[in-house]
Amino acid sequence: MTAGQAFLWVLALIAFGFCLRRGPAAGHRAVADAGRNLLKILPMFAVALPMAAFLAELVPADAASGWIGPESGLAGIAIASFAGGLMPGGPFVTFPLVLTFAKAGAGVAQMSALITGWSIFAIHRIVTWEYPVLGWRFVMLRLISGLPLPIAAGLIADAVLQVLPITLGRP
Amino acid sequence: MITLIRRHASLVVIAAIGATAAAVLWRRDGTAAVGAALVHAWDLFLFIAPSLLAGLLLAAALRQLMSPGGLARWMGAESGWFGLAVAMLAGALTPGGPMAAFPLVLVLAGAGADRGALVAYILSWALNGFQKLLVYEVPLLGPDFAIMRTLITLPMPMLAGWIARRLPIAWEAPK
């Protein structure tokens, strides 16, 4: 277990402790809720992780270095921002794929733009949740307000990288 | 039907992409390559599993402890930057996926939050949600990258909320 995972467990157990202080029923509800969500998320993992692994094998080692490589600049940041919006699923899809792109030569600033673009534009989430629950006007309001953010995130990351040489991947 | 599609659309799309990729890989490199990729996927799962379980427990415990409606009185149309900051904080601390977060927007709207604060709230959840950050981004992409990206995007929802308050698009919570 890494330090980050240990930290997460400490946070979880503290929060669970507060639940138990409210009474055994709240603790029980929390565990049941977590179990239900685990059952919902496992099928996603079962298809998303193999998909990312197959794509990682298929994508040639330098495939991403041209369009979204570290030298691709503003154009690469814009492409990555747009591509982020097309990512077809939740974090269990996106983060393994970002790792795949990074191994295939994608730039760190471009991946910052891609994750930001996915967070803001993810089409599947708009179609399946945001539009049915909140309506088109809210979707437009949020998309227009958030439009420049992925490119801004990429450019700021690019500036940070000039000073701090941050890399992508497991420590 | 709509609920069925909503629940499973991502799953079907991802499975289709995965099956296609597996077929292409099998034709190019044979069965052994497909097997090796599956072993990689399993390793990744084992690597992420401890954070996943802790994240689910933390999210479930927080849902028992927090009452989002109470925050909304600081998120009204006249709340200024302070309201946007409250929305940003609430969004980053909201656990769970879209099935939990989008209905909460309705709860907040009903309790008095304005459109700017709601845009800031949902963007903050999407960009900087703690669960995504701690369960996926830090373990998979490394703490250096995750911290840099989060610091860059942390204030962005407030900016978007400020813009949303100035856009001429009226929005009422659907009844």
Side-chain angles (χ1 to χ4, degrees), chain B residues 49-63:
Chain B
S51 329
L52 179 72
L53 290 175
L56 286 173
L57 180 62
L58 178 57
L62 284 181
R63 266 196 286 276

Side-chain angles (χ1 to χ4, degrees), chain B residues 17-172:
Chain B
I17 298 174
T20 313
V24 173
L25 183 64
W26 177 74
R27 280 200 57 170
R28 197 188 70 182
D29 299 345
T31 315
V34 175
L38 284 174
V39 170
H40 277 301
W42 178 245
D43 285 345
L44 195 59
F45 177 72
L46 291 182
F47 178 70
I48 205 100
S51 329
L52 179 72
L53 290 175
L56 286 173
L57 180 62
L58 178 57
L62 284 181
R63 266 196 286 276
Q64 296 296 321
L65 295 172
M66 298 197 301
S67 62
L71 285 173
R73 63 195 164 98
W74 288 312
M75 289 160 61
E78 306 302 319
S79 62
W81 286 104
F82 175 74
L84 295 178
V86 172
M88 179 191 83
L89 205 66
L93 292 176
T94 297
M99 63 294 285
F102 284 107
L104 273 182
V105 172
L106 288 180
V107 174
L108 291 171
D114 83 316
R115 59 185 178 175
L118 294 173
V119 164
Y121 167 79
I122 201 73
L123 279 178
S124 183
W125 163 79
L127 275 170
N128 305 315
F130 79 94
Q131 201 178 7
K132 245 178 288 202
L133 181 73
L134 292 177
V135 174
Y136 299 96
E137 192 166 2
V138 170
L140 285 176
L141 304 183
D144 291 356
F145 175 82
I147 290 167
M148 176 193 77
R149 193 202 59 79
T150 306
L151 286 179
I152 290 174
T153 54
L154 203 60
M156 286 184 168
M158 291 176 67
L159 193 67
W162 183 84
I163 296 172
R165 280 179 174 165
R166 274 149 193 81
L167 288 176
I169 302 176
W171 178 78
E172 297 257 322

Side-chain angles (χ1 to χ4, degrees), chain A residues 22-45:
Chain A
R22 290 203 172 177
H28 188 260
R29 275 199 301 275
V31 172
D33 188 22
R36 265 196 309 278
N37 284 319
L38 180 66
L39 288 182
K40 261 187 234 162
I41 214 167
L42 280 179
M44 294 303 291
F45 267 88

Side-chain angles (χ1 to χ4, degrees), chain A residues 5 8-9 12 19 22 29-30 33 37 44 53 57-58 93 95 99 112 119 128-129 132 134 137-138 142 145 169-170, chain B residues 6 11 14 21 28 37 44 47 50-51 54 60-61 63-64 99 122 126 134 136 140-142 145 160 164 170-171:
Chain A
Q5 289 172 337
L8 196 55
W9 270 108
C19 274
R22 290 203 172 177
R29 275 199 301 275
D33 188 22
N37 284 319
M44 294 303 291
E57 293 296 320
L58 287 174
V93 178
F95 289 111
L99 200 59
S112 302
S119 304
T128 53
W129 289 101
L134 301 173
R137 281 170 173 265
F138 189 88
R142 191 184 63 80
S145 311
R170 292 193 217 173
Chain B
R6 191 195 278 185
L11 199 65
I14 296 159
R28 197 188 70 182
L44 195 59
F47 178 70
S51 329
R63 266 196 286 276
Q64 296 296 321
M99 63 294 285
I122 201 73
L134 292 177
Y136 299 96
L140 285 176
L141 304 183
F145 175 82
W171 178 78

Side-chain angles (χ1 to χ4, degrees), chain A:
Chain A
M1 198 184 280
T2 65
Q5 289 172 337
F7 173 69
L8 196 55
W9 270 108
V10 170
L11 284 184
L13 291 175
I14 289 172
F16 186 60
F18 276 106
C19 274
L20 286 179
R21 272 190 58 188
R22 290 203 172 177
H28 188 260
R29 275 199 301 275
V31 172
D33 188 22
R36 265 196 309 278
N37 284 319
L38 180 66
L39 288 182
K40 261 187 234 162
I41 214 167
L42 280 179
M44 294 303 291
F45 267 88
V47 291
L49 292 180
M51 178 203 70
F54 294 140
L55 286 181
E57 293 296 320
L58 287 174
V59 175
D62 57 348
S65 58
W67 281 32
I68 50 172
E71 307 301 320
S72 62
L74 181 60
I77 287 172
I79 293 169
S81 303
F82 178 75
L86 302 178
M87 301 290 248
F92 30 79
V93 178
T94 302
F95 289 111
L97 278 182
V98 166
L99 200 59
T100 302
F101 294 151
K103 280 180 188 147
V108 173
Q110 284 71 17
M111 289 303 96
S112 302
L114 187 137
I115 294 172
T116 310
W118 163 68
S119 304
I120 295 177
F121 302 133
I123 291 173
H124 73 281
R125 206 168 54 207
I126 294 175
V127 175
T128 53
W129 289 101
E130 190 172 19
Y131 162 64
V133 177
L134 301 173
W136 277 120
R137 281 170 173 265
F138 189 88
V139 175
M140 289 318 295
L141 202 58
R142 191 184 63 80
L143 286 182
I144 296 170
S145 311
L147 198 60
L149 298 182
I151 290 180
L155 291 177
I156 297 170
D158 209 28
V160 171
L161 290 166
Q162 310 289 329
V163 191
L164 285 173
I166 286 171
T167 53
L168 255 168
R170 292 193 217 173

